[in-house]
Amino acid sequence: LKELVFVGLGLHNEKDISVKGIEEIKTADTVYAELYTSLMPNLSIVSLEKAIKRRISVLSRKDLEDESGKTLLENAKRGKTVLLVPGDPLIATTHVALRIEAERLGIRTRVIHGVSILSAVIGLSGLHNYKFGKSVTIPFAGEYGCISETPYDVIAQNKRLGLHTLCLLDIRAEQKRYMTVREGLKVLLEVEEIRKQQVITLETLAVGIAKAGSENPRVKADFLKELLDHDFGDPPHTVVFVGRLHFMEAEALVVLAGAPENVRQTAQ
Amino acid sequence: LKELVFVGLGLHNEKDISVKGIEEIKTADTVYAELYTSLMPNLSIVSLEKAIKRRISVLSRKDLEDESGKTLLENAKRGKTVLLVPGDPLIATTHVALRIEAERLGIRTRVIHGVSILSAVIGLSGLHNYKFGKSVTIPFAGEYGCISETPYDVIAQNKRLGLHTLCLLDIRAEQKRYMTVREGLKVLLEVEEIRKQQVITLETLAVGIAKAGSENPRVKADFLKELLDHDFGDPPHTVVFVGRLHFMEAEALVVLAGAPENVRQTAQ
């Protein structure tokens, strides 16, 4: 059977994969993993290899993007090939491109879903799913210190609509650089300096989330002046900017995310 | 140890739970499940009980909402209690309310995340995550045939911003009623009859998705006139209304979701 199966690894370590995912790996002819699109802080490929008694080849960004997954697709033409990816597969556009390429080559593709930061952040913050607007990634400053104003615009647009904004933080796996909550907030405050629309100020409420999916995720809701100095520990980090709060959401932020009591008064 | 652990079951059957989730159940003093917030079509509680060698008590909406999870919280005060829930826990507001209540009673709470329809739909459609606006649920008509215009407004607002809309479809588990793609589209077309803003017409492009997370999810992108008669098989179903398409998204819809070739011309 020639096929390519994308299997989601989830968020934190090798035990976030589903029972179904484990079964898929066991019957595969070849198993690859891609680990550069997200950071899974406690993932041990060696432990996973032992648990499933199979060898796993880790692919680099170059293998998947510059070479368009050539080796992997060659294998998938000959037998069942599994590609393990962090989170839920096909959220990263690289995987979608690879899937399209495989289907064009007549290789059947399937997806075994994994736990995604997109839903984990909603659950951990206690905010309501249908109150989230468009999400955005905050990128590191580019060459010559150039910073993107897009995240600022997205947060501003969502705020006008009363909606929350999930901000994913930049990852440069090759350089082991993972943006922290503090770094992300600093980038946005720099944009505020230029734009001066009072979208991101020291009085703005946000929720920082670190190590979602681990035994001890750190979740803290506070105003930026406090959040900037909050210790979130090791990455990966994520930030949510808060729109209009339903009273149940405010309650969740206070009880589950340690928000200051006066957040209750901002709710409707 | 007195604690309440929310464990996500994922989308389709008892093998969607994570390896970590299985371990949590095995060390629990009491295991409950709630199965009314989402439909997991092939879930067998009996198979899961056999696999983990534990008894699982299924709670009704009444047990969790009218009684505020009284029995469950009483157990969590005495020892480690697990509540199994479909999808990723705490996306349903019922679970957030329960978690707040537990924390107020001094019961430690933790979350073992599960696969959610929110990310699965993005992956299966091949659409880009950061192009989704606010999501919405399409409810069944109420008493006297009264229908909600909210989904129409949400889709309209997202469209104006060029964004896609994830529409979850109503579930009335007690009556075993699960809204189909066709029923959801019909509700929206009825609102169009009243509002006449050309938001939902027979020429509107949408993606229907059925049985996400199963071996054979059905994914079909097409214009409403065709989608209305497409056979999506058994529920659960979901619909995505499409905003402005990036050319890679259009390509994904054609190759992965069987969209008509002319969808490529609508992309940018």
Side-chain angles (χ1 to χ4, degrees):
Chain A
L1 192 63
K2 53 186 209 175
E3 62 173 354
L4 174 58
V5 188
F6 294 84
V7 176
L9 285 171
L11 297 170
H12 183 67
N13 67 15
E14 64 280 2
K15 292 182 176 180
D16 282 346
I17 191 171
S18 66
V19 173
K20 199 179 271 179
I22 294 281
E23 289 183 359
E24 289 287 348
I25 309 179
K26 285 186 175 168
T27 60
D29 296 304
T30 324
V31 185
Y32 291 99
E34 168 282 289
L35 304 172
Y36 67 85
T37 54
S38 297
L39 171 65
M40 292 185 67
N42 281 36
L43 176 69
S44 162
I45 286 289
V46 174
S47 302
L48 189 56
E49 284 180 323
K50 273 184 196 158
I52 58 171
K53 298 184 180 66
R54 302 299 303 273
R55 221 192 136 259
I56 299 171
S57 313
V58 177
L59 298 172
S60 68
R61 184 188 294 270
K62 191 173 172 299
D63 293 330
L64 273 185
E65 295 180 11
D66 300 353
E67 306 283 323
S68 308
K70 218 174 129 194
T71 324
L72 180 133
L73 291 171
E74 282 304 319
N75 267 294
K77 275 188 205 164
R78 289 194 295 265
K80 178 173 172 178
T81 302
V82 162
L83 176 61
L84 300 170
V85 302
D88 193 9
L90 307 179
I91 301 300
T93 51
T94 304
H95 306 148
V96 179
L98 189 63
R99 188 175 182 203
I100 292 174
E101 184 64 18
E103 289 281 343
R104 280 206 191 110
L105 293 169
I107 299 162
R108 186 190 174 204
T109 60
R110 286 189 296 122
V111 186
I112 306 297
H113 295 284
V115 172
S116 170
I117 189 70
L118 303 180
S119 61
V121 156
I122 300 172
L124 291 174
S125 66
L127 296 170
H128 291 170
N129 162 41
Y130 59 89
K131 298 275 293 291
F132 279 78
K134 182 177 158 129
S135 60
V136 73
T137 296
I138 304 180
F140 282 116
E143 281 185 272
Y144 315 111
C146 166
I147 58 172
S148 163
E149 297 186 16
T150 304
Y152 185 92
D153 289 325
V154 171
I155 296 165
Q157 177 177 284
N158 283 332
K159 269 206 175 159
R160 277 194 299 274
L161 300 168
L163 302 175
H164 314 316
T165 310
L166 166 61
C167 299
L168 300 172
L169 301 175
D170 203 1
I171 283 175
R172 299 209 181 151
E174 295 88 343
Q175 303 155 253
K176 293 202 170 25
R177 284 182 74 195
Y178 305 95
M179 188 181 277
T180 62
V181 170
R182 184 183 163 83
E183 288 172 321
L185 298 179
K186 288 247 170 197
V187 168
L188 293 169
L189 287 167
E190 275 188 62
V191 181
E192 179 65 51
E193 284 287 300
I194 302 162
R195 302 284 293 276
K196 299 191 194 301
Q197 293 171 10
Q198 301 280 306
V199 172
I200 311 286
T201 75
L202 293 177
E203 312 305 321
T204 301
L205 183 66
V207 191
I209 293 169
K211 284 205 173 170
S214 73
E215 182 90 355
N216 288 300
R218 297 195 187 186
V219 183
K220 177 68 180 172
D222 213 330
F223 301 101
L224 258 52
K225 59 182 173 214
E226 304 295 336
L227 218 52
L228 278 165
D229 293 321
H230 187 81
D231 178 16
F232 283 99
D234 293 330
H237 291 185
T238 313
V239 183
V240 176
F241 280 86
V242 170
R244 270 195 299 276
L245 287 174
H246 182 269
F247 76 94
M248 258 201 60
E249 293 181 292
E251 199 56 32
L253 290 185
V254 172
V255 178
L256 307 175
E261 303 271 337
N262 61 357
V263 163
R264 285 200 184 96
Q265 277 105 63
T266 67
Q268 302 180 323
Chain B
L1 193 63
K2 54 185 208 178
E3 63 173 353
L4 173 58
V5 187
F6 294 84
V7 176
L9 285 172
L11 296 170
H12 183 66
N13 66 17
E14 63 281 2
K15 293 184 176 178
D16 282 345
I17 191 171
S18 65
V19 173
K20 197 177 273 178
I22 294 282
E23 289 183 358
E24 289 287 348
I25 308 178
K26 284 185 176 168
T27 59
D29 295 305
T30 325
V31 184
Y32 290 100
E34 168 282 287
L35 303 171
Y36 67 83
T37 54
S38 296
L39 171 64
M40 292 184 66
N42 282 36
L43 176 69
S44 162
I45 285 290
V46 175
S47 302
L48 189 55
E49 284 180 322
K50 274 185 194 157
I52 58 170
K53 298 184 180 66
R54 302 299 303 272
R55 222 192 135 259
I56 299 171
S57 313
V58 177
L59 298 172
S60 68
R61 182 189 295 270
K62 190 173 171 298
D63 294 329
L64 274 184
E65 296 180 11
D66 300 353
E67 306 283 324
S68 307
K70 217 174 128 195
T71 325
L72 180 132
L73 291 172
E74 282 304 319
N75 267 293
K77 274 189 208 163
R78 288 195 295 265
K80 177 172 173 178
T81 302
V82 162
L83 176 61
L84 301 170
V85 302
D88 194 9
L90 307 179
I91 300 301
T93 50
T94 304
H95 306 148
V96 179
L98 189 63
R99 189 175 181 202
I100 291 174
E101 184 65 19
E103 289 281 343
R104 281 206 191 109
L105 292 169
I107 299 162
R108 185 191 174 205
T109 59
R110 287 189 295 123
V111 186
I112 306 297
H113 295 284
V115 172
S116 169
I117 189 69
L118 303 180
S119 60
V121 155
I122 299 172
L124 290 174
S125 66
L127 296 171
H128 292 170
N129 162 40
Y130 59 88
K131 298 278 292 292
F132 279 78
K134 183 178 157 129
S135 60
V136 72
T137 296
I138 304 179
F140 282 115
E143 281 185 272
Y144 315 111
C146 167
I147 58 173
S148 163
E149 297 186 16
T150 304
Y152 184 92
D153 289 324
V154 171
I155 296 165
Q157 177 177 284
N158 283 333
K159 269 205 175 160
R160 278 194 298 272
L161 301 167
L163 302 174
H164 314 316
T165 310
L166 166 60
C167 300
L168 300 172
L169 302 176
D170 202 2
I171 284 176
R172 299 207 183 155
E174 295 88 344
Q175 303 156 252
K176 290 199 167 36
R177 283 183 75 194
Y178 305 96
M179 190 182 276
T180 62
V181 170
R182 184 184 163 82
E183 287 171 322
L185 299 179
K186 288 247 172 197
V187 168
L188 292 169
L189 287 166
E190 275 187 63
V191 181
E192 179 63 52
E193 284 287 300
I194 302 160
R195 302 283 294 275
K196 299 190 195 303
Q197 293 171 10
Q198 300 282 307
V199 173
I200 310 287
T201 74
L202 293 177
E203 312 304 322
T204 301
L205 183 65
V207 190
I209 293 169
K211 283 202 171 173
S214 73
E215 182 92 356
N216 288 300
R218 296 194 188 188
V219 183
K220 177 69 179 172
D222 213 330
F223 301 101
L224 259 51
K225 61 182 174 214
E226 304 295 335
L227 219 52
L228 279 165
D229 293 321
H230 187 82
D231 178 16
F232 283 99
D234 293 330
H237 291 185
T238 313
V239 182
V240 176
F241 280 87
V242 170
R244 270 195 298 277
L245 287 174
H246 182 269
F247 76 92
M248 258 200 60
E249 293 180 291
E251 198 57 31
L253 290 185
V254 172
V255 178
L256 306 176
E261 303 272 335
N262 61 357
V263 164
R264 284 199 184 96
Q265 277 104 63
T266 66
Q268 300 179 324

